[in-house]
Amino acid sequence: MTARRRNRIVDLVQRDGSVSIEELGATFGVSTVTIYRDLADLESLGMIVRQRGVVTAAGSNLQEAPARFRLGQNEPAKRAIARHAAAMVPRGSAVMLDDSTTGVLTARELREQTPLTVVTNSLLVAEEVRASAGMRLVLTGGEYEAWAEALLGPIAAGTVASLAADVCLVSVSGITDGVTYHPYAEVAAVKKAMMRASARSVALIDHTKFRRRALHEVAPLTAFDTVVTDSGTSPEVLERLREGGVSVEVAPDVG
């Protein structure tokens, strides 16, 4: 219950831009003490900022929240994107999945597309893949980063570079002027390597990413063969992307 409430707090703040602590208490029907405890933990993760009784979204260009926390954020949108993207992968393919939480949900959906070979640097993706008899798992190796539950660094990027996949499915943390970014250089490096090693590249981008910034460039949106987003992305954003030459598909909502 606590984790779900905190995920919803972040979603509300990101959606509305700011919200008062009193409003949060009324929305969730809990005491102010409980809300303050939630906000203290969220602020320590770099997800929100508190100032004079008002909570705002953090300018998260320098850090990313832990992977298991992010799994609960914007889950309906991510599940819609994951299902749509998984259906784009032909049976028998070699597919690369990055360490994004949308990638974890995509791995679950790929069980319907077996047989497949899945290459990943994510231990959360690996958990999903090894539970399916129809998927062959290839882990990149590399230096383990607990916050991402992933393998990163030169070994991970080097392993990816030595392979040739049919398609990669990657996500990013933010988009600025049509270019995708991530807060950490070592994460961006693995995503870039996956794109170079794959015949096709698909970006998995939920609507919140179009309102966020990050530090390290991954690739222009036009470098992806397809960008899959959810129905929460505004018509204005979709029109701007298509006018800029980006191939965009909007995933249908899932129940």
Side-chain angles (χ1 to χ4, degrees):
M1 181 65 72
T2 298
R4 185 178 304 171
R5 183 177 62 249
R6 291 176 181 178
N7 284 328
R8 288 186 60 200
I9 288 172
V10 174
D11 289 344
L12 283 173
V13 173
Q14 289 183 341
R15 185 193 69 188
D16 297 339
S18 65
V19 63
S20 72
I21 291 173
E22 290 76 13
E23 287 175 316
L24 289 174
T27 297
F28 296 103
V30 296
S31 69
T32 302
V33 172
T34 298
I35 291 295
Y36 271 106
R37 189 180 301 119
D38 290 341
L39 297 178
D41 285 345
L42 291 172
E43 193 166 34
S44 72
L45 293 172
M47 302 303 296
I48 57 97
V49 174
R50 292 178 293 170
Q51 188 173 19
R52 297 180 180 177
V54 175
V55 184
T56 58
S60 54
N61 61 318
L62 295 178
Q63 57 187 325
E64 187 84 306
R68 290 191 187 272
F69 178 87
R70 287 183 284 116
L71 267 175
Q73 288 187 282
N74 307 311
E75 187 177 1
K78 291 178 179 178
R79 284 196 295 114
I81 291 169
R83 182 167 298 180
H84 188 83
M88 299 168 63
V89 178
R91 297 179 188 275
S93 297
V95 56
M96 291 187 172
L97 287 174
D98 67 356
D99 61 354
S100 65
T101 51
T102 309
V104 177
L105 299 175
T106 303
R108 295 176 188 172
E109 297 292 339
L110 284 173
R111 294 172 184 171
E112 303 299 320
Q113 303 299 113
T114 55
L116 290 173
T117 297
V118 176
V119 180
T120 188
N121 66 319
S122 166
L123 300 190
L124 296 180
V125 169
E127 287 179 9
E128 299 293 336
V129 172
R130 71 188 184 91
S132 174
M135 292 191 201
R136 180 170 175 250
L137 173 64
V138 178
L139 276 170
T140 62
E143 184 175 350
Y144 174 67
E145 292 289 348
W147 67 268
E149 300 209 32
L151 305 169
L152 299 170
I155 294 175
T159 299
V160 170
S162 71
L163 302 173
D166 297 299
V167 60
C168 71
L169 306 173
V170 303
S171 188
V172 296
S173 296
I175 299 164
T176 303
D177 297 329
V179 179
T180 63
Y181 291 85
H182 193 277
Y184 297 111
E186 61 270 31
V187 176
V190 174
K191 295 177 189 291
K192 290 178 182 179
M194 287 184 171
M195 293 179 68
R196 289 192 295 266
S198 301
R200 293 177 58 239
S201 299
V202 178
L204 314 176
I205 303 178
D206 73 70
H207 64 277
T208 65
K209 306 299 175 63
F210 294 101
R211 301 195 298 267
R212 296 183 65 194
R213 301 176 67 88
L215 188 61
H216 297 279
E217 180 178 338
V218 177
L221 285 170
T222 51
F224 294 93
D225 295 281
T226 308
V227 172
V228 180
T229 189
D230 65 281
S231 62
T233 302
S234 71
E236 293 78 15
V237 169
L238 293 172
E239 181 179 6
R240 186 164 64 249
L241 292 174
R242 287 167 176 150
E243 288 178 349
V246 179
S247 176
V248 187
E249 296 185 14
V250 179
D253 294 338
V254 295

